[in-house]
Amino acid sequence: MPIAVDIDVMLARRKMSVGELADRVGITPANLAVLKNGRAKAVRFTTLAALCEVLECQPGDLLRWEAEDAAGV
């Protein structure tokens, strides 16, 4: 998947646990783990906005596009 999720980077910068972030955002730790590990197929804008509010960051700090390796396709 060419979209990389950097929630773990922001968690480390904010010295926050996955459980605390999930609680403050209002989603389950399991759903946050799915998103954090790049297994989610979609993310609601309301969830993305809540993540940005709690982590005090921009959407681009959490999500980035990576080109797929042409040899691996």
Side-chain angles (χ1 to χ4, degrees):
M1 178 95 155
I3 301 297
V5 181
D6 291 327
I7 291 175
D8 53 347
V9 173
M10 293 307 296
L11 281 171
R13 288 183 183 167
R14 301 297 186 254
K15 296 182 171 85
M16 188 180 298
S17 70
V18 171
E20 180 183 353
L21 179 59
D23 186 51
R24 292 178 61 183
V25 170
I27 61 176
T28 66
N31 283 342
L32 181 57
V34 167
L35 179 59
K36 184 176 85 68
N37 295 323
R39 295 189 316 262
K41 298 293 180 192
V43 60
R44 293 177 188 258
F45 280 164
T46 54
T47 302
L48 183 59
L51 287 166
C52 289
E53 182 177 356
V54 170
L55 293 170
E56 298 178 351
C57 66
Q58 294 295 313
D61 295 326
L62 301 176
L63 304 172
R64 63 187 157 78
W65 178 81
E66 292 181 339
E68 291 191 37
D69 184 10
V73 176

